[in-house]
Amino acid sequence: MIIVLFGKPGAGKGTQAPLLAAALGVPTLATGDELRSAIRAGSPLGLEAKSYMDRGDLVPDAVILGIIKQALSEPRNAAGVLLDGVVRTVPQAEGLSKAVAELGKEVAAVLCFDIDDDEIVRRLAGRVVCEKCQTPYTGREAGSACDKDGGTLVRRKDDEPDAIRNRLAVYEKQTAPVLQWYRDHGTKVAVIDAVGHVQDVTARALGVLAS
Ligand SMILES: [Zn+2]
């Protein structure tokens, strides 16, 4: 069972991924982790990736996909995986599809955690962090004091409404064609309503996978 995860910025994909993985009894596989582990292991693809990184270049899709394909063929991932952040573009979706087909597997479903843009702006704009210790707070005024060390609570630049709307627009522009590609190729694409309690959202995602 190979599942590809997407999530709008602020929709809680990072919270949901480990919960879903635990409920399904499969690991989460993220590009960054696999890349680092291939480099640590000194595998041929890991060394190739490192040569690009050492020159300050992006690691090409073909190398990344090779590393992902290698990981998918390992026993630890035999029961299935949640792919988190592995597919961001249509060429990557195509490459992954080819790689998993060569392993005799297929992408079972694409899950996309979604929240209304206005709600995301409201949520993130309501978040402040301590200037000193970076502890995040919600429902507190910017300018008030941290409970731990009295530091000033500030809203991060990234959480300003304009910055959030910009991130959402970039996500939409990048992700919409990928979701369409999966639909066109007969893969189930489930948009999960990510509003509500964390456990309820997990249950919704599991319900979609079981249906
Ligand atoms: Zn603090």
Side-chain angles (χ1 to χ4, degrees):
M1 180 171 42
I2 298 173
I3 296 161
V4 178
L5 297 182
F6 285 92
K8 226 183 230 184
K13 175 170 66 86
T15 306
Q16 289 297 328
L19 294 172
L20 265 181
L24 293 167
V26 301
T28 303
L29 198 155
T31 300
D33 296 339
E34 296 307 320
L35 192 55
R36 279 188 290 277
S37 105
I39 291 170
R40 256 199 321 273
S43 73
L45 283 166
L47 293 176
E48 196 180 341
K50 190 172 182 299
S51 74
Y52 286 99
M53 291 161 74
D54 287 346
R55 292 199 297 269
D57 291 335
L58 283 177
V59 182
D61 279 0
V63 177
I64 299 278
L65 277 166
I67 290 170
I68 297 296
K69 186 180 176 190
Q70 175 66 41
L72 288 172
S73 69
E74 287 169 15
R76 68 187 160 107
N77 294 320
V81 288
L82 298 181
L83 297 179
D84 186 2
V86 171
V87 181
R88 294 178 192 278
T89 66
V90 169
Q92 288 169 354
E94 287 168 345
L96 176 69
S97 165
K98 193 161 162 277
V100 298
E102 285 164 6
L103 295 170
K105 302 177 184 217
E106 65 172 359
V107 173
V110 174
L111 292 187
C112 184
F113 294 98
D114 194 48
I115 299 188
D116 185 63
D117 284 2
D118 291 338
E119 172 67 15
I120 290 178
V121 170
R122 202 184 60 77
R123 274 189 191 191
L124 296 185
R127 186 166 72 175
V128 289
V129 297
C130 170
E131 230 171 17
K132 275 192 196 162
C133 69
Q134 301 300 315
T135 300
Y137 292 89
T138 48
R140 293 276 294 267
E141 291 290 319
S144 59
C146 175
D147 294 342
K148 294 183 182 167
D149 54 17
T152 307
L153 303 186
V154 295
R155 189 196 267 170
R156 298 188 317 169
K157 280 266 182 292
D158 274 0
D159 290 343
E160 297 288 348
D162 282 352
I164 299 164
R165 293 215 183 267
N166 189 40
R167 286 215 302 283
L168 288 169
V170 168
Y171 171 82
E172 180 62 26
K173 190 162 176 262
Q174 194 175 45
T175 308
V178 183
L179 298 183
Q180 192 55 46
W181 185 90
Y182 276 112
R183 289 188 187 101
D184 292 346
H185 287 77
T187 304
K188 172 154 85 176
V189 175
V191 177
I192 311 293
D193 175 10
V195 177
H197 288 291
V198 168
Q199 308 91 298
D200 294 341
V201 177
T202 311
R204 264 174 230 150
L206 291 171
V208 164
L209 290 176
S211 69

